[in-house]
Amino acid sequence: MRRVLLTVSFCLLALNVSSAQQLPILNGTAISLPHPSYSNEFKELCAYGKVSIEVVIGLNGSVEEASAIDGDPILYDAAVAAARKAKFKFNIDSSPIRHRGLVIYNFPIEKKCIDGGVVNKRAINIPAPDLRKIEHISKNPTVVEVRIVVDMITGKVKLARAISGYVMYFAICEESASKAKFSPSLIDGLPVDVKATLIYKFNPNGSIEY
């Protein structure tokens, strides 16, 4: 397991308090703070950087709720899973309340990639997602975002992972994205991989914008 640098920042507040700025910020309150897993897939998907997890701590110091609010979506599940296993301590003289705060993980850069942003318009070809493979078609407009990593020597997609949207469409969007094609090119004269996003918009009439 690769090492993940982490820091903990806490806002000590009752759940009904709306502004964290009214209360002190606590650091180093963790008794135990496991490192998130960092798989080879995360590395190949060029996933790194800060991920913020909002947590609610119960009276016994255990994490009762955890949800990702910022960072690379590829890393959300691993960061949330680690945060849920954390344990915290508080001043025994403080009021017996639950606490809400942030656990912040900093995933180091393991592989150099250029961030290409949304690249739908830069593709030579993107095959249409095959809705015939879907059993439950959404009746509402929905957008699926897919992270891709492009080999700029060949212009081919090396990896494709859906990161948001209607889960039932993830597989067909990943299949489409994995077969997308781009113009080969070098970045500053070097063959650097590009991480980017393809966006698919599914309309109620069955049309797909991509």
Side-chain angles (χ1 to χ4, degrees):
M1 181 184 298
R2 295 177 175 81
R3 184 181 178 186
V4 179
L5 304 179
L6 54 87
T7 58
V8 181
S9 175
F10 253 90
C11 302
L12 178 62
L13 70 161
L15 296 182
N16 292 329
V17 176
S18 60
S19 176
Q21 295 179 351
Q22 298 175 0
L23 298 165
I25 304 297
L26 303 179
N27 296 300
T29 60
I31 299 173
S32 174
L33 193 59
H35 293 279
S37 63
Y38 190 79
S39 66
N40 286 330
E41 182 182 36
F42 294 161
K43 175 182 176 181
E44 293 304 316
L45 286 167
C46 305
Y48 54 81
K50 183 175 73 173
V51 176
S52 301
I53 307 298
E54 182 176 351
V55 295
V56 174
I57 309 302
L59 301 183
N60 64 355
S62 297
V63 175
E64 295 184 348
E65 300 176 24
S67 58
I69 60 173
D70 185 54
D72 191 325
I74 293 291
L75 302 170
Y76 279 3
D77 287 347
V80 167
R84 288 187 181 277
K85 298 176 182 178
K87 190 80 172 181
F88 298 86
K89 61 181 179 181
F90 299 101
N91 189 333
I92 59 175
D93 295 327
S94 64
S95 300
I97 58 175
R98 298 164 77 211
H99 301 79
R100 186 188 299 274
L102 296 177
V103 175
I104 300 176
Y105 296 100
N106 288 298
F107 292 80
I109 298 176
E110 293 276 347
K111 178 180 179 180
K112 184 178 180 181
C113 300
I114 301 298
D115 192 342
V118 178
V119 293
N120 292 63
K121 294 183 178 180
R122 293 165 54 186
I124 297 174
N125 179 55
I126 305 175
D130 191 353
L131 279 172
R132 295 174 299 179
K133 297 181 179 181
I134 303 299
E135 294 183 5
H136 303 287
I137 302 295
S138 174
K139 297 181 180 179
N140 300 313
T142 186
V143 173
V144 174
E145 295 186 13
V146 180
R147 161 76 57 80
I148 60 173
V149 177
V150 183
D151 182 337
M152 296 311 295
I153 295 179
T154 64
K156 295 181 178 180
V157 174
K158 299 172 65 175
L159 286 171
R161 294 291 181 273
I163 57 177
S164 70
Y166 184 45
V167 175
M168 297 298 297
Y169 290 167
F170 276 14
I172 62 171
C173 289
E174 290 175 346
E175 180 182 32
S176 163
S178 67
K179 297 177 181 178
K181 182 71 176 180
F182 296 83
S183 296
S185 64
L186 298 179
I187 307 298
D188 294 330
L190 299 174
V192 178
D193 286 349
V194 172
K195 70 172 181 179
T197 302
L198 287 177
I199 296 179
Y200 298 84
K201 181 179 179 181
F202 294 83
N203 299 310
N205 63 4
S207 64
I208 310 172
E209 299 175 36
Y210 58 93

